[in-house]
């Protein structure tokens, strides 16, 4: 029996080795008032992963200041090895003593999921997406500073980072649980195998699956023909997409590619999966929202003239051929994103400041009835 709740089947409420969500005794079926979601610590945090946008000179000074501050607080700092390869960091002799205290890792090679208590992102929204890609299961709380171009997902200003980071270490902050999608791409060359006893051998969760924070995009790629893909929901064919492609997104991703393609903007606390066609060749094909936890499957239609292409949060782009399929459902492992104020106010602040939502010149007040004409 499939259990459904705020973030799909049986969501986790612990994030990394030490963080968890403060339980609300009045919550019903895991669904809490967004304003009541608070971060707490089972034990004081001792390690942090600092993610810095690569090849951005404007982030060097904030990165150094933050690392010095964290080291002085006896916090173990993890950074990617390629971050320290920056010549500007290597050439700074005054920073060399701090570098010696760092713990380093390499993407796709080193597992740090049980060694990091929380994450600090320096950059734009892409740094939060990248942080998501590093953790395929439980994700530590993420504190994102707005040092990039858009900053829709990065609510913190770096000017007061010391007091803000201290507040997070003390466990006094609101969090928003951003649901992710669990995506499995099965190729025709890697179908399930049958062993000598007739037992079906399939790839496990660690092979072939990935977690997506914003969206999965299937498009026609370089072909001049329309994409022609079949969309299944819980095993039933619901429609065939004919157009430039289709976007399957989380509520967090609703304000990314999906909204540009005509979808509604959905608050991240809404348990849902969005299906948005890209330039459909049908006047009646409107974006739809389905419950979190359903299983979607995308396959090339049998009579499709061309292959399709898929990307995951804008990365790992690859071709889909006949016989391949993409399976998508809500992951049990959301991203606990730390709020500046609270989940509702932060979201509307981002809509206003980053997307200029409903910004227009106001009408003048009418002083008397004579002013009507």
């Amino acid at each position: 029996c499939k259990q459904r709740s705020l973030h799909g089947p049986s969501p986790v409420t612990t994030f990394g080795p030490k963080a968890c969500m403060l339980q609300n005794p009045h919550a019903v079926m895991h669904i809490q008032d967004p304003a009541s979601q608070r971060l707490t610590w089972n034990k004081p945090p001792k390690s942090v992963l600092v993610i810095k946008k690569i090849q951005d000179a404007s982030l060097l000074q904030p990165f150094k200041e933050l690392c010095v501050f964290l080291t002085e607080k006896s916090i173990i700092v993890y950074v990617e090895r390629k971050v320290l390869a920056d010549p500007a960091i290597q050439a700074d002799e005054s920073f060399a003593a701090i570098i010696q205290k760092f713990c380093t890792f390499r993407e796709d090679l080193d597992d740090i999921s049980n060694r990091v208590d929380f994450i600090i992102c320096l950059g734009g929204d892409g740094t939060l997406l990248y942080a998501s890609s590093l953790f395929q299961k439980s994700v530590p709380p993420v504190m994102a500073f707005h040092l990039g171009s858009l900053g829709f997902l990065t609510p913190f200003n770096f000017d007061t980072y010391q007091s803000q980071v201290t507040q997070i270490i003390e466990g006094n902050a609101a969090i928003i649980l951003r649901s992710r999608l669990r995506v499995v791409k099965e190729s025709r060359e890697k179908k399930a195998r049958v062993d000598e006893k007739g037992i079906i051998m399939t790839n496990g969760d660690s092979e072939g699956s990935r977690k997506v924070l914003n969206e999965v995009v299937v498009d026609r790629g370089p072909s001049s023909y329309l994409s022609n893909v079949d969309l299944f929901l819980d095993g039933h064919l619901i429609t065939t997409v004919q157009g430039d492609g289709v976007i399957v997104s989380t509520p967090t991703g609703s304000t990314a590619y999906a909204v540009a393609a005509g979808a509604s903007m959905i608050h991240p606390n809404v348990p849902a999966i969005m299906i948005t066609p890209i330039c459909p060749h049908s006047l009646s094909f409107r974006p739809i929202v389905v419950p979190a936890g359903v299983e979607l499957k995308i396959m090339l239609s049998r009579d499709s003239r061309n292959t399709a292409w898929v990307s995951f949060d804008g990365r790992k782009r690859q071709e889909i051929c006949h016989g391949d399929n993409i399976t998508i459902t809500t992951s049990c492992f959301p991203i606990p994103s730390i709020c500046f104020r609270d989940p509702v106010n932060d979201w509307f602040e981002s809509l206003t400041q980053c997307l200029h939502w409903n910004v227009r010149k106001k009408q003048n007040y009418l002083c008397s009835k004579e002013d009507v004409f």
Side-chain angles (χ1 to χ4, degrees), residues 87-122:
I89 294 179
Q90 294 290 335
D92 189 345
E93 296 181 358
S94 62
F95 195 60
I98 301 297
I99 292 178
Q100 297 297 321
K101 300 179 181 180
F102 285 160
C103 293
T104 61
F105 71 99
R106 295 165 295 176
E107 181 190 6
D108 296 332
L109 293 176
D110 300 320
D111 183 11
I112 58 170
S113 57
N114 291 322
R115 290 183 277 169
V116 174
D117 294 331
F118 69 107
I119 303 170
I120 296 179
C121 294
L122 303 177

Side-chain angles (χ1 to χ4, degrees), residues 168-215:
I168 300 309
I169 293 175
E170 293 173 353
N172 182 20
I175 59 172
I176 182 169
L177 299 182
R178 299 184 180 275
S179 64
R180 297 194 292 175
L181 299 175
R182 178 183 181 271
V183 188
V184 178
K185 179 179 181 292
E186 185 179 22
S187 301
R188 56 184 173 181
E189 294 86 3
K190 297 180 179 180
K191 294 293 185 182
R193 304 186 309 275
V194 179
D195 68 3
E196 298 175 353
K197 299 181 180 179
I199 299 176
I200 298 176
M201 308 292 292
T202 58
N203 289 333
D205 186 72
S206 61
E207 295 185 21
S209 71
R210 66 182 75 246
K211 304 301 185 295
V212 173
L213 178 58
N214 263 356
E215 75 270 303

Side-chain angles (χ1 to χ4, degrees), residues 36-48:
S36 73
Q37 294 175 178
R38 306 290 300 181
L39 173 69
T40 187
W41 301 101
N42 294 325
K43 297 179 181 178
K46 294 297 182 182
S47 60
V48 59

Side-chain angles (χ1 to χ4, degrees), residues 214-215 217 219 244 246-247 253-263 276 278 311:
N214 263 356
E215 75 270 303
V217 177
D219 61 73
D244 281 353
V246 64
I247 304 166
S254 70
T255 49
Y257 195 174
V259 75
T276 308
I278 307 172
S311 60

Side-chain angles (χ1 to χ4, degrees), residues 199-363:
I199 299 176
I200 298 176
M201 308 292 292
T202 58
N203 289 333
D205 186 72
S206 61
E207 295 185 21
S209 71
R210 66 182 75 246
K211 304 301 185 295
V212 173
L213 178 58
N214 263 356
E215 75 270 303
V216 179
V217 177
V218 176
D219 61 73
R220 61 188 174 93
S223 173
S224 59
Y225 295 114
L226 295 174
S227 69
N228 199 332
V229 297
D230 294 332
L231 181 62
F232 297 82
L233 192 153
D234 283 343
H236 301 284
L237 177 65
I238 57 172
T239 193
T240 296
V241 181
Q242 295 185 95
D244 281 353
V246 64
I247 304 166
V248 179
S249 62
T250 63
T252 294
S254 70
T255 49
Y257 195 174
V259 75
S264 296
M265 296 177 289
I266 299 181
H267 189 275
N269 271 118
V270 177
I273 298 176
M274 304 179 63
I275 302 172
T276 308
I278 307 172
C279 296
H281 203 241
S282 167
L283 296 178
S284 60
F285 196 167
R286 306 302 303 159
I288 60 173
V289 179
V290 297
V294 301
E295 183 180 87
L296 299 172
K297 182 173 288 188
I298 300 175
M299 300 178 63
L300 270 181
S301 299
R302 182 173 298 180
D303 54 355
S304 178
R305 294 183 178 184
N306 56 299
T307 61
W309 289 76
V310 62
S311 60
F312 313 94
D313 279 344
R315 306 180 73 209
K316 310 291 185 181
R317 186 169 168 81
Q318 51 196 274
E319 192 173 15
I320 305 173
C321 301
H322 283 92
D324 300 347
N325 63 73
I326 308 292
T327 302
I328 305 168
T329 190
T330 307
S331 169
C332 298
F333 303 99
I335 295 282
S337 183
I338 300 173
C339 302
F340 177 68
R341 285 189 293 176
D342 61 72
V344 174
N345 280 296
D346 281 13
W347 191 68
F348 278 102
E349 181 72 14
S350 292
L351 288 182
T352 303
Q353 297 298 323
C354 300
L355 300 183
H356 302 292
W357 177 63
N358 198 29
V359 175
R360 59 151 289 178
K361 186 177 180 180
K362 291 186 178 180
Q363 292 179 323

